[in-house]
Amino acid sequence: MTSPLLDVRELRVGFGPAEVVRGVSLSVEPGECVAIVGESGSGKSVTARALLGLAGPGSAVRAASFHVAGRDALAFTPADWRRLRGGFAGLVLQDALVSLDPLRTAAAEIAEVLAVHDVVPRARRAGRVLELLDAVGVPEPALRAGQRPHQLSGGLRQRVLIASAIAADPALIIADEPTTALDVTVQAQILRLLAERKAAGTALLLISHDLAVVAAVADRVLVMKDGRVVEEGPVRQVLAAPAHDYTRTLLAAVPSAASRGTRLTTGTPRTRPAPNLSGQVLAATALSHSYDRRPAVAEVSFTLHEGETLGVVGESGSGKSTLARLALALLEPAHGRVALHQRQWSNQPERARRPLRHRVQLISQNPLDSFDPRHTVGRLVAEPLRLPAGERRERVLDLLERVGLPPGTAGRHPRELSGGQRQRVAIARALGPRPDVLVCDEPVSALDVSVQAQVLDLLADVQAEYGTAMVFISHDLGVVHHVADRVLVMKDGRVVEEGDVEDVFIRPRHPYTRALVAAVPRLGVPAA
Amino acid sequence: MSALTRNAPPLRIPPVAVLLPVAFLALLGVAVAAPGLLTAADPLAADPLAALAPPGGAHWLGTDHLGRDVLARVVHGARHSISIGVAATALAVTGGVLLGLAAGLSPRWLEETLTRAFDVLSTLPELLLALLVVAIIGPGTGNVILAIAVAQIPNYARVIRAQTFVVRRSGYVEQAVTFGRPRAAIIAGHVLPNVLGPIPVLATIGLGTAIIAGSGLSFLGMGPQPPAAEWGAMLSEARNYLRVAWWEAVFPGLAITLTVVCLTVAGRRLQRRFEGRTP
């Protein structure tokens, strides 16, 4: 029996009077992958950072016992921690664009770790950098080594970060949401890469909000909530037979094929009127649009019927958001046209479109960006309403009630609200003008899974009640499978496959759709 | 991390470095609004028998070459100097906001033209530019105000143009379009209020510069004409007597310097306050 690389008992981290980690015990054995899963604010990231002495200024870290590499970490000086980081443990963070120095090349980033920990003699450093880039699957390492973060894609940046984390051949890699900002196919590659490191004997501590990601690589999982571990055990056992209510809720809230037709928050069946296929609401014909001669959307056609949800899936850069802007007529197509209720919608002066504007409303990914920062919730929700001042207030309160917000919310500023509440405000505002079409551009991708479940349920309720048609854009195949009737699969601006959501996701025909479906990490199928 | 930033800073009494400038600016406010409260003497009453009396006794700050009370002239001069500065700044802010907004919302060719024009004008020292304008339109208090405003417009316009660029592409402007709101309503309701953020800070610091420019132009005889008490003009008259009566020049000079220093300190303080806060 080897001694654990890391062992901490009753870890507590506080910032001023607030304690965000309240007694977490955890250990990582050599070659093991331990995952911490939790929603935002659960304290999972702070735990990970505290384990590397990076809890941050103003923090108070306490523990009953704390051993790193067999030494007592409670007595560590800042210099001890520095020696440990990079050498003994590598850290991979979520957003590589922020974590990488924009002025330094990929090679310089990795070479720094080699230099600090004196891994190889100076003369061999450049060669070692290329070996590392190759090892993490960066194509053309010699070319990429000389590039800076803004020249690299999200996936490549994350690989560079992983390369620098493993440069000093650490015994442990701590990865905090390493794939959250990535497309699913890239995510699958990064997860494979992490699994390879694990196979090579490196221990992994993986922090994630995504249970499916954890299922793919972890051996053991800790579920955190409000700074405490609520459940802990082998990953198969926790996912297959969760013992704690919170874990069960978390698992049930994940939208997928299986959750179709049920309410995510309660798991009960949900009925909704079938879409009216004879009532065409929005129709796009051969839409094309380019930015600087680079085609963003090419030859895309679709029809949206009353009460129908059209899912649009694709990876970043596939043209999904451009398609949303074209559907909203915020952008005029270079070719093709959009019709609303069989009347002209695109390709006309804004003045002619204005009287119809209220029929098509937008719900965006980041509601805070879509709110004027000076306005209160009440004023925001009132903005699209065309009512006499006297009736407005009442209608605003109605709308807030409809989306499950107390009337008191009207006087508050959105930045005082949580992410889920903000998205509810955005939905209330979009419902105000009684639209026929809601264009939802990644409406839940910034939300925690339990909040996402609430918002998806709310959108489904709204659709059932008003018969609103929806264009639902998402990178998350599970979400689209849960909500959509039909789906468009986009790649490089083109629709590569379309059809009934069950057909497309269960029996994909196009190779790209197959790759996309295969790349989605699945719950309950832990990698061997 | 958010727990860190959410910790409210302990309540502190502002340091002397803030209290003093604020107190001085308050005193200036009194001098502008009710100079009679600070001095009973008439700034224009000449008394040749008491000319060039040193500070002390009946004249706290001495008298000038015509025997006028220097304290009274400095106090009453505040009204001239500061109103020139305030008027010029108000004009410059208005012009700058309108031009910056126009540039930020224009089609590309017009935007480029305006922006280059702002850039070229900003390369010239403000005082020189103001002097140029006065040379064209002639001297006088109104013209000095106009000249300084013209010289300062590019400073505001450039900032507003940059802000407009950010705001016009923002999610909330886009949302307002989807609500079917007319363009003018969107500009008035969303763009304009959201681009004004940096103006209070810029204008506070700009006010100091405008006062210096105003006094500078008056010193050169372009502003209020004698016998009006204006700090720059007082300095100009005093320079002939510098060797025998230092007080005639030092006190108006000190008034200009202190005003500008205090405004700058206050402006920087505001800046730090606003930058520390997320909007």
Side-chain angles (χ1 to χ4, degrees), chain A residues 57 325 354 361 372 374 383, chain B residues 174 178-179 181 189-190 194:
Chain A
R325 294 169 56 81
R354 229 167 254 148
Q361 290 295 302
D372 190 314
R374 299 166 309 123
E383 187 180 357
Chain B
E174 197 153 77
T178 70
F179 301 148
R181 297 195 67 185
H190 292 293
N194 279 300

Side-chain angles (χ1 to χ4, degrees), chain A residues 150-463:
Chain A
H150 70 273
Q151 295 166 302
L152 302 169
S153 69
L156 286 177
R157 283 200 291 267
Q158 204 65 26
R159 279 158 206 251
V160 170
L161 211 56
I162 294 179
S164 68
I166 63 173
D169 201 15
L172 171 69
I173 297 178
I174 296 187
D176 188 358
E177 302 273 7
T179 62
T180 301
L182 304 177
D183 283 326
V184 336
T185 52
V186 184
Q187 164 170 293
Q189 291 160 6
I190 298 292
L191 290 179
R192 210 172 304 137
L193 179 60
L194 288 175
E196 275 169 33
R197 296 309 305 177
K198 192 184 120 190
T202 313
L204 277 173
L205 179 63
L206 186 65
I207 317 296
S208 182
H209 69 284
D210 189 335
L211 290 158
V213 162
V214 164
V217 270
D219 302 309
R220 273 194 309 129
V221 59
L222 284 76
V223 181
M224 275 187 81
K225 183 179 194 290
D226 299 332
R228 294 198 178 84
V229 174
V230 297
E231 181 162 4
E232 174 176 7
V235 74
R236 283 160 205 264
Q237 182 192 321
V238 171
L239 295 182
H244 194 276
D245 279 346
Y246 177 69
T247 319
R248 270 199 287 274
T249 324
L250 215 53
L251 284 166
V254 178
S256 66
S259 66
R260 260 181 89 73
T262 62
R263 299 182 60 84
L264 287 165
T265 40
T266 57
T268 51
R270 160 169 71 80
T271 50
R272 77 173 245 242
N276 172 13
L277 295 180
S278 57
Q280 175 186 318
V281 188
L282 202 66
T285 319
L287 288 181
S288 295
H289 192 83
S290 315
Y291 295 114
D292 299 327
R293 298 210 191 119
R294 201 181 57 79
V297 165
E299 298 285 323
V300 173
S301 302
F302 65 82
T303 341
L304 182 68
H305 303 99
E306 281 170 21
E308 183 184 39
T309 301
L310 177 69
V312 180
V313 294
E315 300 190 288
S316 40
S318 63
K320 304 186 302 283
S321 288
T322 306
L323 187 63
R325 294 169 56 81
L326 288 168
L328 285 157
L330 286 170
L331 204 62
E332 288 283 358
H335 299 286
R337 60 198 156 72
V338 187
L340 179 67
H341 290 300
Q342 282 151 10
R343 284 158 67 191
Q344 191 173 19
W345 173 243
S346 66
N347 309 83
Q348 61 177 335
E350 184 63 30
R351 188 182 298 277
R353 192 158 38 219
R354 229 167 254 148
L356 297 173
R357 273 286 183 200
H358 67 279
R359 292 177 177 270
V360 186
Q361 290 295 302
L362 164 70
I363 294 173
S364 63
Q365 172 174 4
N366 187 349
L368 209 50
D369 280 349
S370 73
F371 297 152
D372 190 314
R374 299 166 309 123
H375 292 176
T376 59
V377 168
R379 201 164 157 198
L380 288 166
V381 175
E383 187 180 357
L385 301 178
R386 283 184 227 166
L387 290 173
E391 295 166 37
R392 263 190 203 192
R393 168 127 192 106
E394 206 172 321
R395 176 93 171 110
V396 166
L397 295 180
D398 273 358
L399 286 163
L400 289 179
E401 193 190 340
R402 182 66 202 80
V403 299
L405 290 172
T409 321
R412 299 177 65 189
H413 275 276
R415 55 173 180 276
E416 304 163 23
L417 305 178
S418 69
Q421 288 171 321
R422 288 174 193 160
Q423 202 56 287
R424 282 169 195 272
V425 173
I427 294 172
R429 180 173 66 165
L431 290 178
R434 300 189 188 3
D436 303 329
V437 182
L438 276 181
V439 177
C440 309
D441 188 0
E442 301 273 7
V444 292
S445 45
L447 303 176
D448 277 325
V449 57
S450 60
V451 182
Q452 167 176 294
Q454 294 164 11
V455 170
L456 288 176
D457 279 352
L458 173 61
L459 283 172
D461 292 345
V462 161
Q463 188 173 40

